[in-house]
Amino acid sequence: MTFERKTITDYLTITSGVLGRLLISVVYFLIIANSLDLGDFGIFASSSAVGLVLSRVLAFGFISPVYRVAAARHRLLGAYCGGLVTLAMASLPLIIFLAAGIHAAGFAGKIALAPFLMIMAAEIIGWRVVEYVVIMLNGLSRFGKAATLVVLGSAIRTLAAIAFFLLPWRELEAWIWFYAAANAVTLVFALLFFAPRMRLRFVWALYPRRMRDALMAAASEITFYIQSELDKLLVLTMAGDRTAGLYAIAMRLIDLTAVPVRSFNQMLVQKIMQEEGTGGTGVMAGHRKRVLIEAVIAVISTCGLLAFVILLWLYPLVLGGNVARVAPYLLPMLAIPALRNLVEYQGELLYARELVVTRALLLAGLAALKLS
């Protein structure tokens, strides 16, 4: 991408929202990681991972064509969002069925069905719909408004975590109520004050030719998050709740290294879509540029985790007792952030170029390697 003033301003706007969310999320993460028992935190993190995967089933991936329309053909947004709402409602029975089956297969005896489904609802109906609003705002280049919503949502969850910390309850079931309420409040704010104003309409002729793109995008997203979150479920199943809690804390620290990369990915995807719509091909031209970008992603990602390693080596208890227990395992994991973030970067490039089948197959291969 050329370093035009608007490009730099947009990147800084997106990054400010992500960094704001990061700083608030760190507080949220530290409170919950150190307030819940390690076993409860492991179960919560694993359940949230399931919710994250199932949230990609919502609307059968139709947010993908909605984003493309928002980025390139604004006037059709109302028609496409009408289909998004309709397909979201149609997908809920399948999501409930899948959630109940996953609970029976992997979580029975660890968490009751009702609180497990509350986590699913908070992730899928709550936070995922908020993400839909953010995606549309970014597609419309309303980056400041999208960044504000991202920070607001994280702040509301952090306030819920602070309230949980100040009150005497420490059980997982109690925290789930706080978590679900925080996501519900964020959803209300998103729909009332941030969602683009439009007249929803259902135009059947638009959907048959867009459903293939939507379903392929959904399959690709589901595959991405399965390979990304599968390890949490495997650790929970094979090593128990407490080990899953330690692993979830370590992976959360690694996830924080992706913050600057995701801002860049987001702008790059939008730029590629816009260039392809106008016949341009210059945004990723040149082998040297591509290699340089990948090298920068790898270095930034590795330095992010290394900073946590040094911090916990100098001040072991600065992030709390439960996080301190993870410190000895971080150094052997030093290569993971670069690899994860490069996988995500390459996946975003494939999505931007509508190579969603290729993306899904590659990510399915990664998931198979983890299972083996």
Side-chain angles (χ1 to χ4, degrees):
M1 287 185 290
T2 56
F3 290 97
E4 301 169 354
R5 176 176 294 181
K6 184 179 185 303
T7 301
I8 295 172
T9 301
D10 288 346
Y11 176 77
L12 291 176
T13 302
I14 296 171
T15 304
S16 67
V18 179
L19 287 177
R21 178 182 178 183
L22 169 64
L23 294 174
I24 297 170
S25 295
V26 167
V27 177
Y28 162 81
F29 160 67
L30 293 177
I31 292 172
I32 299 306
N34 291 292
S35 296
L36 291 174
D37 175 80
L38 268 177
D40 283 347
F41 184 78
I43 293 170
F44 174 70
S46 301
S47 301
S48 295
V50 172
L52 187 61
V53 173
L54 292 182
S55 70
R56 269 54 198 175
V57 179
L58 189 67
F60 303 110
F62 202 74
I63 189 61
S64 176
V66 169
Y67 177 63
R68 295 184 188 278
V69 164
R73 303 172 69 187
H74 304 170
R75 288 177 295 179
L76 291 175
L77 189 58
Y80 276 76
C81 283
L84 182 69
V85 173
T86 303
L87 290 168
M89 298 296 293
S91 65
L92 286 178
L94 174 60
I95 292 172
I96 294 170
F97 173 77
L98 292 172
I102 291 171
H103 176 269
F107 289 87
K110 295 181 174 65
I111 180 173
L113 179 60
F116 180 81
L117 291 178
M118 281 184 66
I119 296 175
M120 298 302 103
E123 292 286 350
I124 298 165
I125 300 174
W127 190 251
R128 183 55 177 163
V129 176
V130 173
E131 286 183 331
Y132 280 1
V133 176
V134 172
I135 289 168
M136 283 186 276
L137 290 172
N138 282 327
L140 294 168
S141 297
R142 300 176 188 175
F143 299 117
K145 203 169 185 179
T148 302
L149 178 55
V150 167
V151 173
L152 178 65
S154 298
I156 291 172
R157 286 206 282 194
T158 302
L159 289 174
I162 293 171
F164 176 71
F165 176 76
L166 294 176
L167 292 171
W169 306 300
R170 287 293 177 269
E171 297 81 12
L172 174 59
E173 288 76 10
W175 163 241
I176 291 171
W177 282 99
F178 284 88
Y179 183 72
N183 282 6
V185 170
T186 305
L187 176 61
V188 171
F189 271 98
L191 294 178
L192 290 181
F193 303 109
F194 291 89
R197 295 293 170 254
M198 68 190 81
R199 184 172 64 86
L200 296 179
R201 55 193 188 278
F202 189 87
V203 182
W204 173 255
L206 295 175
Y207 305 112
R209 62 194 179 94
R210 293 296 183 186
M211 280 310 299
R212 180 184 178 278
D213 172 46
L215 291 171
M216 288 297 100
S220 179
E221 285 282 290
I222 291 168
T223 308
F224 173 80
Y225 282 102
I226 285 176
Q227 67 84 26
S228 178
E229 304 295 332
L230 180 64
D231 43 6
K232 293 186 181 74
L233 303 180
L234 293 176
V235 172
L236 177 67
T237 303
M238 297 186 297
D241 304 351
R242 292 181 64 82
T243 303
L246 288 171
Y247 184 77
I249 290 172
M251 295 310 296
R252 179 57 178 159
L253 294 176
I254 289 172
D255 286 342
L256 296 176
T257 67
V259 169
V261 176
R262 285 173 181 156
S263 299
F264 174 77
N265 289 348
Q266 184 178 318
M267 288 204 64
L268 184 62
V269 166
Q270 189 163 340
K271 187 71 173 176
I272 292 173
M273 287 179 179
Q274 291 170 346
E275 283 208 347
E276 289 185 350
T278 58
T281 57
V283 65
M284 289 297 289
H287 180 70
R288 181 177 297 180
K289 180 190 290 187
R290 293 194 292 270
V291 171
L292 178 62
I293 290 172
E294 293 180 9
V296 170
I297 289 173
V299 170
I300 290 175
S301 304
T302 304
C303 288
L305 185 59
L306 188 60
F308 281 116
V309 171
I310 294 171
L311 178 65
L312 292 172
W313 177 58
L314 294 174
Y315 308 102
L317 295 176
V318 68
L319 301 181
N322 282 347
V323 179
R325 298 180 189 181
V326 176
Y329 308 105
L330 292 180
L331 196 57
M333 304 172 78
L334 202 58
I336 294 177
L339 297 173
R340 281 170 60 96
N341 293 340
L342 284 170
V343 166
E344 186 169 341
Y345 163 73
Q346 294 293 344
E348 290 299 310
L349 289 183
L350 292 172
Y351 168 74
R353 290 166 173 157
E354 301 190 47
L355 299 173
V356 289
V357 176
T358 302
R359 183 188 189 216
L361 290 174
L362 291 173
L363 293 172
L366 285 176
L369 284 174
K370 286 187 177 182
L371 280 171
S372 63

